Amino acid sequence: QDVLRAAHVVLAEFCPRGLGAHDARTGLGTLENLFVHSATAKDGTPQVLLQFVDSLMSDQKLMSEMAMALASAVPGVAGVVRTRSRYRDEESTDVWEEVLFGQGAVWTNVLGCQFRISAGGFFQPSAGTLETLTQAVLDGVDGKKGEKVWEFYCGSGLFSILLAKHQGVSTVGFEGVAHSLRELATNAEANGVEDQCEAVHIDLNSRSALRCLVDSLPLPDVVVVDPPRRGCSRPLRRLLPHLGARRVVYASCHPQSQIRDALHLVGNGYELVSVSLI
């Protein structure tokens, strides 16, 4: 809240100068979103990475001035970054980014592992419940050394890397955003599990691409799913029951889509064992 209050003051100053909020209805304004990535350095110091999503029509000099103002006003700012996603069929496939101040990423510790958080990659945003969530996923998987775990919508590899590190499993992460997979590779190497973590760049909305997985890879013992708010794509939802996994662990930020996907699994041979609210 302190970060948001300080950022609001700075944004209010720069809005009349041409950096107004984007209005999709009128097309006016250039700044679409502000994401606050919070992290904790190795020495315990809180860090903040501010990410602006803009239309790329923002004045470069003005954006740089605003970044410096934010760095002075907002406590713990390690970097200010502007980004813009590249899309295909309304799905983000990669991210363009420019560092306006400081560094373009921060590192944080989760359950004894180090993770790089950058503006372009996906990392779980709820810092206050992060360890509770990740521990719940690890407990749900309960993997055995040598088992194979597939993670769909793996982002920067949070669950895959922790599972490899703490349970000795081999993981394959599937993700449509190339930048996130580059982050996964960096994080796996930083935690010494690069030989256990494989990453596959794939369109998770493509039925044919998903079917190729079944034909080309050893099937998983356990599946982890961590989709965006809309839930699993229809092709993935239909595929999940046919992978033969003994267990599916589903982390969700939107109960409605999770219920829809869970009902499909239950209707195709799975039993709902537990539900946790975090």
Side-chain angles (χ1 to χ4, degrees), residues 201-274:
H201 188 208
I202 183 174
D203 180 0
L204 292 170
N205 294 303
S206 169
R207 180 183 177 186
S208 60
L210 288 168
R211 289 303 306 175
C212 285
L213 298 181
V214 179
D215 298 333
S216 60
L217 294 173
L219 294 179
D221 299 290
V222 180
V223 168
V224 175
V225 187
D226 181 23
R229 291 178 60 82
R230 65 181 176 278
C232 294
S233 68
R234 180 175 293 182
L236 178 58
R237 185 163 63 247
R238 291 177 173 175
L239 177 66
L240 286 177
H242 304 290
L243 294 176
R246 63 176 173 83
R247 183 173 295 178
V248 176
V249 180
Y250 192 129
S252 173
C253 58
H254 194 256
Q256 281 185 309
S257 58
Q258 184 182 38
I259 290 170
R260 179 202 64 206
D261 295 344
L263 285 173
H264 182 76
L265 287 166
V266 170
N268 285 272
Y270 280 88
E271 176 187 0
L272 184 60
V273 175
S274 65

Side-chain angles (χ1 to χ4, degrees), residues 106-237:
V106 291
W107 288 82
T108 195
N109 185 290
V110 182
L111 298 180
C113 289
Q114 291 293 315
F115 291 90
R116 186 178 189 268
I117 303 176
S118 72
F122 175 78
F123 195 82
Q124 288 291 335
S126 303
T129 60
L130 187 56
E131 293 208 344
T132 304
L133 171 63
T134 51
Q135 189 60 61
V137 170
L138 266 63
D139 292 344
V141 171
D142 190 24
K144 307 297 187 292
K145 188 173 181 178
E147 284 191 320
K148 177 76 70 175
V149 177
W150 283 11
E151 182 187 355
F152 292 98
Y153 305 100
C154 64
S156 300
L158 174 66
F159 298 139
S160 290
I161 289 165
L162 287 170
L163 285 165
K165 190 73 172 180
H166 292 297
Q167 298 185 2
V169 301
S170 297
T171 66
V172 184
F174 303 97
E175 173 62 55
V177 181
H179 187 100
S180 290
L181 292 180
R182 293 192 289 270
E183 293 284 271
L184 188 155
T186 298
N187 290 329
E189 184 176 359
N191 291 285
V193 292
E194 62 269 29
D195 293 336
Q196 295 167 249
C197 297
E198 185 179 350
V200 177
H201 188 208
I202 183 174
D203 180 0
L204 292 170
N205 294 303
S206 169
R207 180 183 177 186
S208 60
L210 288 168
R211 289 303 306 175
C212 285
L213 298 181
V214 179
D215 298 333
S216 60
L217 294 173
L219 294 179
D221 299 290
V222 180
V223 168
V224 175
V225 187
D226 181 23
R229 291 178 60 82
R230 65 181 176 278
C232 294
S233 68
R234 180 175 293 182
L236 178 58
R237 185 163 63 247

